[in-house]
Amino acid sequence: MEETMVKENKMGVLPVNKLLVAMSLPMMISMLVQALYNIVDSIFVAKIEEKALTAVSLAFPIQTLMIAVGVGTAVGINALLSRFLGEKEFEKADCVAKNGIFLAFISYLLFLLIGIFGVGIFYTSQTSDTVIINYGMEYLTIICVASFGIFMQATFEKLLQSTGKTFYAMITQGTGAIINIILDPILIFGYFGLKPMGVAGAAVATVIGQCVAALLAVIMNVKVNTEIHVGMKGFKPDGRMIRQIYMIGIPSIIMQAIGSVMTYGMNRILITFTDTATAVFGVYFKLQSFVFMPVFGLNNGMVPIIAFNYGAGSRERVVKTFKLSVCYAVAIMAVGVVIMQCIPDRLLLLFDASETMLSIGVPALRIISTCFIVAAFCIVAGSVFQALGYAWYSMINSVCRQLVVLLPAAYLLALTGSLQNVWWAFPIAEVMSASVTVFFLVRIWKRVVSHIGE
C-alpha cells in the first residue's frame, strides 16, 4: 500500500521540470516513432504511383475522425481518472477506467459500420477518378473494418498515462509503429515470397501494428498499473460516469473531428486545381506530424500533472507546468520551422515528388510552417483547458479556426485562381486562433487557476 501511494503521489511531490520531462519524454519519443511510421507509410505508397498516394491522402479525413473518437474519449478518461486519483477517490477512478473500455468497444462498432457501408460514398464525393476510388476503397475499408486495435490502444495507453506510467505507453506505441514500418514494404511489394498487396498491404500493416500495441497496452495495465483495476467481470455501464467522461472528451472529439471536416473541405478545394495538390496536402500532414507529434506527446505528459495538482489544490505546480510546457513546445516548433523553410524540396523528394509536386509543395510547406510557433502556444493552452475541465473552450477555438476562418479563407483565396494563395489560409487561421486562445486563457486564469488551493 505504501509503495502504491508513493507512485501515485509523484505527480504532487517531484520537481515540476523533472516530472514533466520524465512523463513527457517517453510519449514524445513514441509519437516521433509514430510520426516516422506515418511518413514511411506514405513513402512506400508513393512508390506504387502518385494516384495511390492521392487515394491514401483522401482517406485522411476518416482516419482523423477515427482518431478523434478514440483519442478524444481517452482524453476524457485520462483527465477524469487523474483528477479522482488526486482527490483519493480510488473507486471512482476504477469506474472511469472500466466505462472507458466499454466506450472503446462501442466506438469500434461505429467505424465497423462505416467501413462496410460508407467508404464508397465517401470517395465518390471527392473524385470521379476510378483509379483513385479503387485504391481508396481497398485501403480505407480495411482500416475501418479492422479498427478495433486503434480504439483499445488509445484507451489502455491513456490509462497508463493517467497514473504516470508514460514509459510503458511509449513501449506500446513504439512497438506498434515499428511493426507497421517493418510490415509496410513486405506486404505492399510482396517480399519473402508473399504476394504483393499494394495499398491494401499498407492498410493491413497499419491494423496489425495497432492490434499488437493494444494487446501490449492491456498486458501492461494488468501487470504494472496497480493504481487502477480494469477487470470487467460483472461490469455494468454507468451512465453518470460516461456523461462525465464525455463532458471532457466530447469537446476533444469535436475538435479533432473538425480537423476531419477541414481536411475533407480542403481536399475538395484543392482537387479543383489538380489531383497533385491533394497529394501535396496529404504529404504536408505526414511531414508536419513529425513536428506536431512531439508537442502532443508533451501534452500527454502535461495533462495528468495539471489535472492531478488541480485536484490536489497546488496552484504553483499547475502554473509552473503550463509555463514549462509552452517553452518546450515553442522550441520544438521552432526546429520544425527551420527545417520546412530550408529544405522543403528534399522533404518532398522523399515521396518521389514529380516536378509538378515540387512546384506546388515547396511554397506550400514554407507558407504553412510560418504559423508553427503560434500553433505551439495554442496547442498547449488548449490541453490546459481540458485538464482543468474547460474543454469547451478548446472546442470553440477549434471551430473558429478551422471552420469559421480556415475553410472560408481557403475558398475565397482559391477564387483568385492561384493555388499558392490558398496556403495562406493556414497562417491567417492560426493568428485568429491565438487571439481566441489568449482571451480564454485570461478568463480561465481569473476564474479557476488563481483560486486553486483556496
Side-chain angles (χ1 to χ4, degrees):
M1 181 65 180
E2 184 178 349
E3 181 182 357
T4 297
M5 289 300 294
V6 170
K7 289 182 180 178
E8 177 223 334
N9 285 337
K10 76 174 186 178
M11 288 187 283
V13 297
L14 283 182
V16 172
N17 188 49
K18 180 179 179 180
L19 178 64
L20 181 62
V21 171
M23 291 192 61
S24 298
L25 192 58
M27 296 311 305
M28 292 168 71
I29 293 172
S30 65
M31 287 198 164
L32 272 173
V33 175
Q34 187 69 37
L36 178 62
Y37 154 70
N38 289 334
I39 292 174
V40 171
D41 186 48
S42 290
I43 289 173
F44 286 128
V45 169
K47 292 184 182 300
I48 300 173
E49 66 167 306
E50 190 174 292
K51 287 191 176 183
L53 179 61
T54 300
V56 172
S57 297
L58 291 177
F60 197 68
I62 294 294
Q63 290 179 286
T64 303
L65 185 61
M66 192 180 299
I67 294 170
V69 174
V71 176
T73 303
V75 165
I77 297 166
N78 187 0
L80 193 61
L81 199 153
S82 294
R83 190 184 310 166
F84 283 143
L85 289 177
E87 295 170 352
K88 319 297 184 195
E89 297 281 359
F90 301 111
E91 288 187 8
K92 288 183 179 180
D94 288 347
C95 186
V96 171
K98 293 175 183 179
N99 280 276
I101 295 168
F102 168 74
L103 293 176
F105 180 72
I106 298 300
S107 299
Y108 163 67
L109 293 181
L110 170 64
F111 282 90
L112 173 64
L113 294 175
I114 292 174
I116 295 172
F117 300 109
V119 172
I121 297 170
F122 172 74
Y123 267 96
T124 54
S125 72
Q126 297 183 87
T127 180
S128 59
D129 190 312
T130 55
V131 175
I132 293 175
I133 291 172
N134 289 335
Y135 275 136
M137 290 183 64
E138 191 177 0
Y139 177 81
L140 191 56
T141 299
I142 296 171
I143 292 293
C144 290
V145 171
S147 61
F148 182 79
I150 191 172
F151 292 108
M152 289 301 169
Q153 179 187 352
T155 300
F156 280 93
E157 285 176 352
K158 287 295 183 184
L159 294 181
L160 291 168
Q161 293 169 26
S162 65
T163 57
K165 295 177 175 61
T166 54
F167 175 76
Y168 295 100
M170 178 193 75
I171 293 174
T172 61
Q173 275 197 346
T175 301
I178 290 169
I179 288 173
N180 282 335
I181 293 171
I182 294 171
L183 290 180
D184 259 333
I186 295 173
L187 298 179
I188 291 172
F189 304 115
Y191 296 147
F192 305 112
L194 296 176
K195 181 180 178 180
M197 297 178 67
V199 293
V204 172
T206 296
V207 298
I208 289 175
Q210 291 167 349
C211 289
V212 171
L215 178 60
L216 277 177
V218 172
I219 293 171
M220 296 290 188
N221 272 280
V222 172
K223 295 293 185 181
V224 302
N225 211 1
T226 56
E227 286 86 347
I228 57 175
H229 305 90
V230 294
M232 301 297 286
K233 185 177 180 180
F235 167 77
K236 292 182 180 180
D238 185 327
R240 182 178 178 184
M241 191 62 71
I242 289 172
R243 283 194 296 272
Q244 289 187 63
I245 291 171
Y246 278 132
M247 280 293 292
I248 300 171
I250 282 180
S252 181
I253 292 172
I254 292 174
M255 281 189 298
Q256 295 182 70
I258 287 167
S260 177
V261 175
M262 181 277 291
T263 306
Y264 179 82
M266 284 297 297
N267 284 336
R268 291 287 301 269
I269 292 169
L270 294 171
I271 209 165
T272 61
F273 289 93
T274 171
D275 290 349
T276 303
T278 61
V280 166
F281 189 49
V283 166
Y284 158 71
F285 265 105
K286 302 292 185 179
L287 291 171
Q288 64 96 30
S289 70
F290 208 71
V291 183
F292 279 69
M293 282 293 195
V295 177
F296 294 144
L298 174 69
N299 282 357
N300 284 339
M302 176 194 73
V303 167
I305 297 173
I306 289 182
F308 183 97
N309 285 284
Y310 175 41
S314 178
R315 180 173 64 240
E316 180 183 357
R317 291 177 67 83
V318 168
V319 173
K320 190 169 183 178
T321 302
F322 168 66
K323 290 180 178 179
L324 284 170
S325 298
V326 170
C327 291
Y328 287 136
V330 168
I332 292 168
M333 288 293 198
V335 174
V337 173
V338 172
I339 294 172
M340 292 276 190
Q341 294 295 322
C342 294
I343 54 169
D345 51 342
R346 295 183 186 180
L347 296 175
L348 291 165
L349 286 171
L350 292 172
F351 302 86
D352 287 353
S354 62
E355 287 298 322
T356 302
M357 182 178 281
L358 286 172
S359 66
I360 294 172
V362 168
L365 295 185
R366 284 179 171 155
I367 291 169
I368 299 175
S369 64
T370 59
C371 63
F372 279 6
I373 292 177
V374 176
F377 169 76
C378 296
I379 291 169
V380 173
S383 294
V384 170
F385 299 157
Q386 294 169 10
L388 296 177
Y390 284 76
W392 294 99
Y393 285 177
S394 298
M395 186 198 74
I396 293 169
N397 191 3
S398 187
V399 170
C400 291
R401 183 173 68 86
Q402 299 189 76
L403 300 187
V404 177
V405 178
L406 196 154
L407 275 183
Y411 175 76
L412 293 174
L413 290 168
L415 295 179
T416 65
S418 169
L419 175 58
Q420 185 168 320
N421 288 344
V422 175
W423 307 119
W424 284 104
F426 287 88
I428 291 170
E430 210 61 62
V431 169
M432 183 286 307
S433 175
S435 302
V436 175
T437 297
V438 169
F439 173 78
F440 282 141
L441 188 61
V442 170
R443 188 181 181 91
I444 204 170
W445 215 266
K446 291 179 179 179
R447 290 188 173 188
V448 180
V449 177
S450 61
H451 298 291
I452 295 175
E454 291 183 354

